[in-house]
Amino acid sequence: MAPRARELTPDRSARHLFGSEMRRLREQAGMSLESLAGVVRYAKSSLARYETADAMIPPDLAERLDAAFGTDGLFVKLYGLARNEIHPDQFRRLMELERRARLIQQYTGQLVPGLVQTEAYARALFEIHNPKARQDEIEELVTARMSRQALLLADPAPDLFLILDEAVLRRSFGGPAVMRAQLARLLDLTLTPTSVVQVLPFEHGGHALAGGSLRLMTLDNGAQVAYEESIATGTLMEDPAAVTPRLRSYDLLRACALSPKDTAAFIRSTMEALP
């Protein structure tokens, strides 16, 4: 006798509603989890966890479910709501603005920016940040971070300009193989139609943005916002009086950073130096 399916709670959250609708439409179509897995090309065990809201929904599953069930964007809309639920409230406004950004400029002094992290690099960061976390909790955070990167594939995609302190390239997370793949990802973005990456070498010395990270975004309506982040806190600024001096600091730093061509050579040399 087949085990009884767990009772779902669609009123608990958007993620629970997503799973409940997924099960309802699957059963309405007379499909087992195994048969649905063959259609959407996801493991049966993964689909079971999405139905019960035990795991964060991956970015591409919503469109596959809409195609499988002919639901005209239902799952895409539910995913849009569920995607925000894994992030703390104070970051939701930032994420909303990020999705509206036409230009993203960012300086980081220690870590690769989340928008361009590889899965393995992100996983290593989360494991170091919370070594007591369960693996499923780590994977949920990784999925959420990867889902943010979908905005770089939007049409039109925002322009992305990054200034990375040399420490970002030198500080290893996850070991040589993980860092080699992460550096290769940065190398691919060094100079493209929508991205520029520049390295600020140690020899530059001190500067106004040392000690944290800064993200500047120009939105679809022309407004500019800034987000400063330290180890555990962040501050979102939408007042032009606060944003303008940070734009100036960023522009001064960009003028001192390596050119994209020299940055590419620097990244290659760093990759070659890895064990």
Side-chain angles (χ1 to χ4, degrees):
M1 183 176 179
R4 184 178 178 182
R6 187 200 301 183
E7 185 175 347
L8 303 183
T9 52
D11 57 340
R12 185 174 172 185
S13 71
R15 191 164 80 186
H16 285 75
L17 180 58
F18 185 105
S20 177
E21 286 298 282
M22 179 176 159
R23 178 184 289 179
R24 180 181 69 82
L25 289 163
R26 174 177 64 78
E27 292 178 345
Q28 184 175 293
M31 300 176 74
S32 65
L33 276 171
E34 187 172 4
S35 59
L36 180 60
V39 174
V40 299
R41 306 181 77 84
Y42 265 89
K44 172 186 173 182
S45 59
S46 296
L47 293 180
R49 296 179 69 215
Y50 303 143
E51 279 196 357
T52 54
D54 287 333
M56 180 58 189
I57 308 148
D60 59 347
L61 179 60
E63 289 188 359
R64 297 187 190 190
L65 289 174
D66 279 327
F69 297 130
T71 40
D72 192 27
L74 169 66
F75 286 99
V76 169
K77 292 173 184 174
L78 288 174
Y79 172 72
L81 296 174
R83 175 176 53 188
N84 286 336
E85 291 180 337
I86 193 171
H87 297 279
D89 289 341
Q90 65 264 31
F91 294 117
R92 291 182 184 174
R93 173 64 175 164
L94 175 65
M95 292 174 60
E96 291 170 4
L97 295 173
E98 188 176 74
R99 288 193 287 270
R100 291 176 50 201
R102 303 278 28 97
L103 169 64
I104 300 172
Q105 302 175 95
Q106 186 166 359
Y107 162 77
T108 59
Q110 297 293 331
L111 305 174
V112 173
L115 282 175
V116 294
Q117 289 176 6
T118 64
E119 273 196 37
Y121 183 94
R123 185 174 293 108
L125 284 183
F126 288 128
E127 288 174 346
I128 289 173
H129 178 71
N130 187 359
K132 295 183 178 180
R134 300 191 313 271
Q135 195 58 42
D136 63 313
E137 293 174 328
I138 296 293
E139 292 307 315
E140 187 163 327
L141 292 169
V142 172
T143 299
R145 177 149 296 179
M146 294 301 103
S147 74
R148 284 181 54 218
Q149 298 183 4
L151 71 88
L152 298 180
L153 302 176
D155 185 16
D159 290 322
L160 179 67
F161 293 172
L162 302 176
I163 302 173
L164 308 179
D165 193 278
E166 183 176 340
V168 174
L169 310 185
R170 301 291 188 191
R171 193 177 305 282
S172 179
F173 287 89
V178 171
M179 285 304 298
R180 187 171 288 107
Q182 180 62 76
L183 292 174
R185 165 74 168 147
L186 294 173
L187 186 60
D188 289 342
L189 295 170
T190 302
L191 185 60
T192 77
T194 58
S195 67
V196 173
V197 178
Q198 294 176 264
V199 167
L200 185 73
F202 288 146
E203 63 189 32
H204 173 70
H207 56 85
L209 300 182
S213 69
L214 173 70
R215 194 180 326 171
L216 299 159
M217 296 183 288
T218 302
L219 308 182
D220 48 9
N221 62 357
Q224 293 179 310
V225 300
Y227 182 71
E228 283 184 338
E229 190 171 15
S230 60
I231 293 176
T233 61
T235 303
L236 178 63
M237 290 159 279
E238 300 182 63
D239 184 348
V243 175
T244 298
R246 287 163 175 82
L247 280 166
R248 174 173 170 75
S249 295
Y250 183 89
D251 287 342
L252 288 172
L253 205 58
R254 181 168 55 187
C256 299
L258 299 179
S259 69
K261 180 179 179 181
D262 290 342
T263 289
F266 194 100
I267 293 174
R268 289 191 190 96
S269 69
T270 306
M271 293 173 70
E272 291 168 2
L274 288 170

